Amino acid sequence: MDQLTPAETRLVQFLKWTALVYALLYLFGAIGAYQGATNPTWIEPPFVSNAVASLSLLAVLAWFASSDVRRWRDMIYLLIAGYALSVIGIFILLSSPKAAGQAGTLLGVALFSAFFGGVIYWLLRQCPPHESRWTPWMPDKPLTSWEKFGRAVCIAGGVGSLVAVLGHYVLYYTGPTELVAFFRQPLMVAGSAVKIGVLGLCLLVAARDTRRHGDFINVFIVGNSFSLIIVIITHLGINRFGVVDYPALGSDSRTMMLGALGIDVVAIVSFILLKLKVDRSILDHTFFFSPLHFRALEAVAETLIEGMDESVAPEEIVLRTDDYLSSFPSRRLWLAKLSVVGLATMPLLSLMPPINYLSPENRRRFIDKHFKQDVVNKRGIYAVLQAVRLVRLIDILEGMMRFNMQLT
């Protein structure tokens, strides 16, 4: 297996540190709204929740990218773009009288973002593009109707988000008096623009190729999920000291935060349903497994067959397994699906992305550590009982792979 270069290893480590730092900042930002009137920076909806959500979005991008810096190179560029948007946005807002008294804080945030973005860009430049060691299989067929519809939705959502980002800066300086007065906290306005802009860029990247870049829709969904969490926390924090009225806007803090909550819920649900439809239209070869199961087993198969005669591709292993499991009725087949979901999401317990997002070497280390070593000595009998179904699944898959190769 092609190992990472020293430069790639340094990039991986820095991305992990970046994800950790911004995850901690996200958690710290969650308590900001509970400062109440003692710090008016934190009581202006919905910019506060958007600004804090931008921290989680940058953390998610760094977290995903660190799992395979070759496969997720585009994601690293998107992360750098997020930092660039933060720095540029702050300097755009800095020249306004509204920034008086906050110049030091704004410059500090800009330098902080410039440091992380600059270091990541510098490390990335030291890593020449390499062909990804493994990418999920994609069927060779024309774009499906759902893919075309998904591309149109992503383009519309992405362009709309970028227009909203531009609107942040325009309304900060000019426009209706009541709106200009509402855009009064430059730090929160800049953070809100980063969140909306990066989410929009995720959709535009996905629109380029709904098959190759469809995972950016998942990033969009995860980013909005963290946004929803902070909206709920911020809603409770802002209104803990009483509802703040905005007569010029004909609204109040409670109504605005409930509106932000509704937008996040609609975005999450809509794009989950869209992603499910798009994936099913692409992977319409299976009768038992869903696309989620397919991708998880495909990644595991690719790891387990390393070192064997790879005359059967990982996707063929999964398709044959699907044919076998769909060939007979059983009331216990749901356990197989549940086990695959557990296998796919188990890396989350180790603060790693789902198993099909990991690089081949990270997957191998994970499987060796949790399923091929003596888990009794390391984790105790309770952990063994929890993992027994997954261990059986791994053994069955490996046996079926060897049997299929003998047939071939």
Side-chain angles (χ1 to χ4, degrees), residues 145-159 203-204 206-207 210 271 274:
S145 298
W146 276 108
E147 284 182 287
K148 295 176 182 178
F149 176 72
R151 173 175 290 183
V153 171
C154 288
I155 291 174
V159 172
L203 294 181
L204 291 178
T210 52
F271 277 89
L274 176 63

Side-chain angles (χ1 to χ4, degrees), residues 32-37 39-52 98 102 168 171-172 177-190 192 234-235 237-239 242 244-246 249 252-254 256-257 260:
Y34 290 83
Q35 298 181 45
N39 191 343
T41 301
W42 295 92
I43 62 172
E44 188 173 22
F47 300 123
V48 171
S49 58
N50 278 351
V52 177
K98 299 177 184 178
Q102 302 184 44
H168 277 63
L171 292 175
Y172 180 79
T177 304
E178 60 273 12
L179 281 179
V180 174
F182 183 65
F183 284 72
R184 67 178 183 268
Q185 294 292 345
L187 182 60
M188 297 303 164
V189 172
S192 178
T234 305
H235 167 65
I238 290 177
N239 297 298
V244 181
D245 291 318
Y246 296 94
L249 300 179
D252 55 53
S253 58
R254 177 174 296 166
M256 289 183 181
M257 294 309 296

Side-chain angles (χ1 to χ4, degrees), residues 15 26 52 301 336 385 404:
L15 286 171
Y26 172 78
V52 177
L385 292 175
N404 285 331

Side-chain angles (χ1 to χ4, degrees), residues 9-236:
T9 301
R10 289 192 295 269
L11 177 59
V12 168
Q13 293 302 320
F14 191 79
L15 286 171
K16 289 181 178 180
W17 278 107
T18 300
L20 175 61
V21 168
Y22 275 82
L24 293 176
L25 288 174
Y26 172 78
L27 294 176
F28 173 77
I31 67 174
Y34 290 83
Q35 298 181 45
T38 60
N39 191 343
T41 301
W42 295 92
I43 62 172
E44 188 173 22
F47 300 123
V48 171
S49 58
N50 278 351
V52 177
S54 71
L55 301 173
S56 67
L57 185 56
L58 296 174
V60 167
L61 287 170
W63 180 55
F64 271 106
S66 68
S67 65
D68 192 342
V69 293
R70 294 183 181 177
R71 179 182 171 191
W72 304 119
R73 194 176 182 90
D74 289 339
M75 199 172 291
I76 300 176
Y77 281 120
L78 182 56
L79 176 62
I80 295 171
Y83 284 119
L85 181 59
S86 175
V87 174
I88 295 171
I90 286 175
F91 277 99
I92 290 175
L93 304 178
L94 193 58
S95 60
S96 169
K98 299 177 184 178
Q102 302 184 44
T105 301
L106 291 170
L107 287 174
V109 173
L111 289 174
F112 192 77
S113 298
F115 169 76
F116 279 94
V119 172
I120 292 172
Y121 178 74
W122 177 69
L123 291 173
L124 185 62
R125 288 293 300 271
Q126 298 182 40
C127 305
H130 286 280
E131 184 178 352
S132 181
R133 290 147 292 175
W134 176 81
T135 55
W137 170 76
M138 293 294 173
D140 183 15
K141 63 179 181 179
L143 286 178
T144 66
S145 298
W146 276 108
E147 284 182 287
K148 295 176 182 178
F149 176 72
R151 173 175 290 183
V153 171
C154 288
I155 291 174
V159 172
S161 296
L162 297 185
V163 170
V165 170
L166 182 61
H168 277 63
Y169 305 132
V170 172
L171 292 175
Y172 180 79
Y173 282 101
T174 184
T177 304
E178 60 273 12
L179 281 179
V180 174
F182 183 65
F183 284 72
R184 67 178 183 268
Q185 294 292 345
L187 182 60
M188 297 303 164
V189 172
S192 178
V194 171
K195 175 222 170 181
I196 296 174
V198 174
L199 288 177
L201 291 175
C202 282
L203 294 181
L204 291 178
V205 173
R208 287 173 51 197
D209 189 334
T210 52
R211 295 185 189 181
R212 182 184 173 195
H213 299 301
D215 290 299
F216 282 85
I217 297 179
N218 293 335
V219 175
F220 176 88
I221 294 170
V222 173
N224 275 290
S225 298
F226 279 106
S227 176
L228 176 61
I229 293 171
I230 203 66
V231 163
I232 295 172
I233 294 174
T234 305
H235 167 65
L236 297 175

Side-chain angles (χ1 to χ4, degrees), residues 352-380:
M352 300 168 66
I355 201 162
N356 57 303
Y357 288 88
L358 302 178
S359 65
E361 61 268 22
N362 284 336
R363 279 200 306 273
R364 174 161 292 281
R365 283 195 293 268
F366 179 82
I367 291 175
D368 287 348
K369 177 180 179 181
H370 294 276
F371 300 107
K372 292 188 176 181
Q373 294 179 1
D374 187 1
V375 293
V376 175
N377 293 334
K378 289 184 176 290
R379 297 190 170 221

